[in-house]
Amino acid sequence: MTDPANESATEITGRCYCGATQIRATQKPTAIAYCHCTDCRRATGAPVAAFAAFDETAVTFIPNEGRSVSANPGVTRTFCETCGSPLAGRYEYLPGQVYVALGVLDQADDLPPQLHAHEAHRLKWLHINDGLERIATSSRSQLLNSVD
Ligand SMILES: [Zn+2]
Ligand SMILES: [Zn+2]
């Protein structure tokens, strides 16, 4: 996340746990966020999830995006068909964007989150000592603004 002028010329790669699913993104993320909501916690199995938002057209899943699961209206999550790794989420209220699980990206070390969403649901014992903005509920408005 350096010079915004360079944002179009990049390649971000990733893969699931077993390697059956590869990910390529041709643009940098439009936003990166932690999500402390209980759905993300269950979907990832981790105490907190983190996602990088991309323009849907910039991301390719090879050979495909795996298994698609919709446990809540308006939200679709995808998982590697073979190993079940969480790959991505799509939200009806964030059209045109795909939220790729940060931990499956090869460049995750260079993609620091910018905010904490659903801070109100954070596990009490989980303390991430950063100065990032914390939003009690959905970060919908911030995430929408970030792509304008
Ligand atoms: Zn896999
Ligand atoms: Zn969440």
Side-chain angles (χ1 to χ4, degrees):
M1 312 304 284
T2 50
D3 181 1
N6 290 332
E7 275 189 17
S8 55
T10 191
E11 183 173 73
I12 291 173
T13 54
R15 67 168 178 88
C16 67
Y17 172 58
C18 79
T21 308
Q22 307 283 324
I23 301 164
R24 299 257 182 287
T26 54
Q27 290 171 22
K28 286 185 176 173
T30 54
I32 305 174
Y34 288 107
C35 189
H36 296 276
C37 87
T38 52
D39 281 354
C40 285
R41 202 149 67 218
R42 289 186 192 282
T44 62
V48 60
F51 291 94
F54 291 92
D55 187 311
E56 219 169 21
T57 60
V59 184
T60 311
F61 296 87
I62 305 151
N64 56 56
E65 209 176 325
R67 183 181 299 267
S68 185
V69 180
S70 194
N72 284 307
V75 182
T76 305
R77 295 175 188 265
T78 54
F79 302 84
C80 172
E81 188 75 49
T82 305
C83 71
S85 290
L87 298 174
R90 285 185 176 74
Y91 305 86
E92 264 175 21
Y93 63 84
L94 296 165
Q97 288 189 277
V98 57
Y99 281 70
V100 179
L102 193 59
V104 303
L105 296 177
D106 297 324
Q107 293 79 19
D109 212 24
D110 301 318
L111 298 169
Q114 301 152 320
L115 59 87
H116 293 263
H118 288 281
E119 166 73 11
H121 295 281
R122 179 175 51 80
L123 290 172
K124 288 190 190 78
W125 47 259
L126 182 70
H127 301 289
I128 297 175
N129 196 7
D130 59 31
L132 299 180
E133 185 178 4
R134 291 169 186 267
I135 295 139
T137 58
S138 161
S139 54
R140 170 180 178 166
S141 58
Q142 285 81 354
L143 295 173
L144 284 174
N145 288 339
S146 69
V147 297
D148 282 345

